[in-house]
Amino acid sequence: MDVVPESNRNPTRATDVTVLGLGAMGSALAAALLDAGRSVTVWNRTPGRASELVGRGAGAADTVAEAVLASPVVIACLLDHSSVQKTLHLAVGELRGRTLVNVTTTTPNESRALASWAAEHGIDHLDGAIMAVPAMIGSRSGQIFYSGSRAAYDALLPTLEVWATSEFHGEDAGLASLVDLAMLSGMYQMFTGFFHGAAMAATMGMSASDFAARQAPFLAAMAEELAGYAKVIDGGDYTVAGQQSLEFSDLSHIVRASEEEGVAPSPIAAVQALISGQIAAGHGSEGLARIYESLRSDS
């Protein structure tokens, strides 16, 4: 276990911010704060991860309660909602009167549950959703969405802006998570589409790298179409001129080709099922964007 100098083991000293959780992201957040001249106390469940940050001036706490007592602002960057609950319950009393910023990835309802718990215990709560990888923290090339306490967001904005571009989405604590996960949904489905295409191309001997060299610029060009689709969806009229119809967009040939090559067609088959459902409902002549109606919460 790394030895932390005694001079940095004073959990009662006043620091600007405490960071709970020193995984890759938590460490990046703490390091960016130190680089910006903030004083920081850190804690991690597994001992030994604090040494580099301590070497840069951070204080290390042995317990969650000590870490919380060191600062008026506590950042939780942990594995999941369950780990946040378990960790914070170790310092409920110490958290009272402080501001908690949870940047752990959670679902909207998990974020709301944490906000309710915080309110019950006199804790000002702000939820954050990080749209960045650790290397982007401090460069402002990433984004972090926030929701929950507007007062906390306004007061902490100079600190939050140290990490990335900040964007407030409202006092419903679940909204930042909702936007974050919605964006990640598009990303992961894009990646899965690439994996499926690469598997198809592999049957003819093409490497994934060669396929990526062809796919990347094509996807980048197609991303330019998103604004047009969004305009149609927001307008609610899927019959406006210039749209590719659902009937023309039938993807059953891609499904068959995948099956013929022995490649699981599940990613593209899921899209085809949405198209088929809208055609069966009598909307075949309308635009492809109409499959949005099969997905929306009030459909």
Side-chain angles (χ1 to χ4, degrees):
M1 183 177 74
D2 294 315
V3 176
V4 176
E6 193 62 35
S7 61
N8 290 86
R9 282 191 175 279
N10 183 6
T12 61
R13 75 174 188 173
T15 55
D16 298 321
V17 181
T18 284
V19 177
L20 304 177
L22 299 178
M25 184 59 76
S27 295
L29 296 175
L33 291 172
L34 291 168
D35 289 343
R38 306 304 199 275
S39 56
V40 180
T41 295
V42 295
W43 172 88
N44 192 68
R45 182 177 62 83
T46 303
R49 288 192 176 177
S51 58
E52 181 177 345
L53 292 166
V54 167
R56 298 174 62 175
D62 291 322
T63 68
V64 177
E66 290 174 352
V68 169
L69 284 172
S71 311
V73 178
V74 177
I75 312 299
C77 187
L78 301 162
L79 178 63
D80 54 22
H81 180 62
S82 177
S83 64
V84 171
Q85 288 181 308
K86 292 176 182 176
T87 299
L88 298 183
H89 275 284
L90 298 173
V92 178
E94 290 80 3
L95 278 164
R96 183 174 293 276
R98 287 175 164 76
T99 298
L100 169 66
V101 183
N102 178 47
V103 293
T104 307
T105 300
T106 55
T107 69
N109 280 346
E110 288 171 342
S111 298
R112 293 173 182 128
L114 182 61
S116 295
W117 176 86
E120 290 172 5
H121 293 90
I123 305 162
D124 203 12
H125 171 263
L126 185 65
D127 203 77
I130 302 174
M131 294 297 298
V133 296
M136 296 166 66
I137 297 299
S139 68
R140 298 191 58 77
S141 58
Q143 287 182 297
I144 304 181
F145 305 137
Y146 295 95
S147 56
S149 170
R150 179 76 206 212
Y153 176 78
D154 290 341
L156 292 176
L157 188 57
T159 295
L160 303 178
E161 290 279 281
V162 166
W163 294 330
T165 301
S166 301
E167 191 174 284
F168 187 74
H169 282 273
E171 295 191 348
D172 176 345
L175 296 181
S177 171
L178 182 59
V179 176
D180 173 52
L181 297 181
M183 291 182 68
L184 289 175
S185 175
M187 181 191 77
Y188 280 109
Q189 290 182 79
M190 178 190 71
F191 287 156
T192 302
F194 165 71
F195 300 151
H196 178 252
M200 291 182 69
T203 65
M204 61 172 282
M206 182 181 290
S207 70
S209 295
D210 284 347
F211 183 69
R214 293 164 172 78
Q215 179 88 111
F218 177 70
L219 289 178
M222 290 302 98
E224 298 297 321
E225 300 297 315
L226 293 180
Y229 282 127
K231 185 176 180 180
V232 170
I233 291 169
D234 289 340
D237 184 0
Y238 301 100
T239 66
V240 295
Q243 297 184 72
Q244 179 174 303
S245 73
L246 285 155
E247 290 170 340
F248 184 83
S249 302
D250 185 281
L251 307 178
S252 57
H253 57 297
I254 304 180
V255 175
R256 290 196 307 273
S258 182
E259 292 172 334
E260 288 169 4
E261 299 303 317
V263 174
S266 47
I268 198 68
V271 181
Q272 177 57 32
L274 292 169
I275 292 172
S276 295
Q278 286 295 324
I279 292 175
H283 303 294
S285 63
E286 298 180 41
L288 174 64
R290 190 179 174 89
I291 65 175
Y292 166 83
E293 299 296 329
S294 293
L295 298 167
R296 61 185 297 175
S297 61
D298 58 350
S299 61

